[in-house]
Amino acid sequence: MIRGMHAMFYSSQADALRAFLRDKLGLSGTDVGGGWLIFNAPEADLGVHPTEGGEPKSGTADISFYCDDIAGTVSAMRARGVEFTQDIEDHGYGLVTYFKVPGDFNVQLYEPKYAK
């Protein structure tokens, strides 16, 4: 039976992104050799969203992080030097913002409105 899920970021700045995940987000991990870290991910869930002919294209995968207190989490992350790209917005399913990571892309952070 399935007992977990492995997610992956592809980055042009892999070493910097690994350090960011460790130092800025506080994720612990295991060095599997050569500096390759496999991070212990927090609790997870999985959603499936329809595509409607535009973006994102069918087959696209997305990784986001969620928290219980988005204002407090954003404040703590900013104190560790994390740069956010937009203010917190209500997207219906939750309160949402995005932060920059090494490799020149953004990751979503949200506080869900649905019960976990």
Side-chain angles (χ1 to χ4, degrees):
M1 293 305 292
I2 293 173
R3 67 178 184 95
M5 183 171 58
H6 180 86
M8 199 166 341
F9 287 121
Y10 290 90
S11 174
S12 60
Q13 299 175 354
D15 289 337
L17 182 51
R18 289 181 191 118
F20 179 93
L21 294 171
R22 182 191 62 223
D23 301 338
K24 306 288 186 189
L25 301 190
L27 298 179
S28 63
T30 302
D31 188 329
V32 296
W36 284 75
L37 299 174
I38 300 297
F39 291 95
N40 300 316
E43 172 185 318
D45 58 19
L46 176 65
V48 177
H49 295 256
T51 59
E52 297 181 10
E55 292 296 326
K57 292 181 180 180
S58 184
T60 299
D62 188 43
I63 298 172
S64 57
F65 294 99
Y66 58 85
C67 60
D68 293 326
D69 172 15
I70 195 162
T73 302
V74 166
S75 179
M77 290 172 69
R78 278 191 173 129
R80 290 192 300 269
V82 176
E83 180 182 347
F84 285 82
T85 61
Q86 70 179 52
D87 293 333
I88 297 167
E89 299 176 344
D90 189 333
H91 283 206
Y93 63 90
L95 302 175
V96 176
T97 188
Y98 293 84
F99 58 91
K100 293 179 112 176
V101 299
D104 197 30
F105 61 98
N106 299 324
V107 174
Q108 182 185 84
L109 173 69
Y110 73 101
E111 178 183 330
K113 290 185 177 179
Y114 53 89
K116 293 289 302 157

